[in-house]
Amino acid sequence: SCATTWRSASGSSAPARRCTREHAIGLLWADKDQAAARQSLRESVRILRRCLGEAQLHTAADQLELAVGAVELDTDRFDRFLKKEDWANAAALVRGEFVEGFDVPDASAFEDWLFAERRHWCGRALEALIRHAEGRLAAGDLLGADEPARRALKLDPLSDAAVRTVMRRLALAGNRAAALEVHAERARAGP
C-alpha cells in the first residue's frame, strides 16, 4: 500500500501516505504490460475508495495520497512509543515479522521493498523488545523480562544483543546451565 514510507533499494523514500501512480505500478505491477498495470491500479483505487470512503484517498494528477487519519498503522504507533522510550507498549506491538505472510506474486520490486522494510522493522522491534527486557531486569522483575527477551531471540536467533539478554535473565535467575546452553546454541549457529 502507499500507506507506509516506501524505501527503494537506493534508500530513497516517498513521503508517508503518498506516492506517484508510476511508483505504485512499478512496485506492484512492473511485470505487467502498461495497459494491464494501469487497469490493476484503477481497480485497486476503486476498492480502496469503497473500503476507506471516497474522501480518504486523493488522486490528484499523478499522485495517490491517503488522507490524514484514513488508516492507523501499527508502525506509526510503534514509532510514537519508541520516541517516548515507552518500551513496554512498543514491545507489545511486536507480533512477528513486518507484514508476515503477505506477498504480491510476480512483483519483484515489491519483494525488494518488503525485504528492506522487514530488515528495518526487525531492527527496531529488537530494540524495543531488548530494551523492555533490560528495563524489567534492572527493576528486578526476572519474570517480566523473560517474555520480551525470548521474543527478541525468536525474532532474530543470531542477534548477539538478544542472546546476551536471555543469558543475563537466566543467569540472574540462577540457571547458569540454561544460560550456557543459549550461548552454545548461538555459537553453533555461526557468525
Side-chain angles (χ1 to χ4, degrees):
S1 93
C2 296
T4 59
T5 300
W6 290 358
R7 290 175 187 82
S8 69
S10 67
S12 64
S13 64
R17 303 184 200 308
R18 182 180 346 141
C19 68
T20 66
R21 290 174 190 272
E22 292 306 315
H23 187 97
I25 287 171
L27 192 65
L28 300 170
W29 303 288
D31 297 338
K32 287 187 173 185
D33 68 69
Q34 197 66 10
R38 290 200 176 283
Q39 178 56 36
S40 293
L41 178 62
R42 281 191 296 275
E43 180 63 14
S44 296
V45 166
R46 186 187 70 74
I47 291 169
L48 281 170
R49 282 197 168 125
R50 186 180 62 202
C51 293
L52 298 174
E54 192 69 30
Q56 300 302 313
L57 180 62
H58 307 286
T59 56
D62 186 33
Q63 296 288 314
L64 303 170
E65 183 174 6
L66 286 172
V68 174
V71 294
E72 181 180 22
L73 302 174
D74 286 349
T75 54
D76 291 341
R77 290 178 56 217
F78 184 78
D79 276 340
R80 285 193 301 271
F81 289 136
L82 287 184
K83 284 179 185 163
K84 292 190 283 186
E85 297 184 358
D86 184 346
W87 309 118
N89 280 316
L93 290 175
V94 177
R95 296 182 194 103
E97 240 182 2
F98 178 75
V99 294
E100 191 170 339
F102 183 80
D103 69 345
V104 177
D106 302 321
S108 58
F110 178 82
E111 291 301 319
D112 292 344
W113 171 84
L114 185 57
F115 178 78
E117 286 299 301
R118 283 185 173 154
R119 287 190 57 179
H120 169 78
W121 291 109
C122 181
R124 303 199 69 200
L126 280 172
E127 177 187 12
L129 290 166
I130 291 168
R131 292 239 186 165
H132 179 49
E134 290 292 340
R136 299 312 326 138
L137 288 174
D141 181 7
L142 299 182
L143 187 59
D146 189 58
E147 190 262 345
R150 290 189 185 278
R151 284 176 49 214
L153 190 57
K154 183 178 178 186
L155 189 62
D156 185 356
L158 300 179
S159 166
D160 290 334
V163 169
R164 279 192 306 272
T165 302
V166 170
M167 288 178 61
R168 182 168 172 248
R169 187 264 180 235
L170 290 167
L172 288 171
N175 196 344
R176 288 194 167 95
L180 291 172
E181 181 55 31
V182 169
H183 180 269
E185 285 176 28
R186 174 59 183 93
R188 283 191 294 270

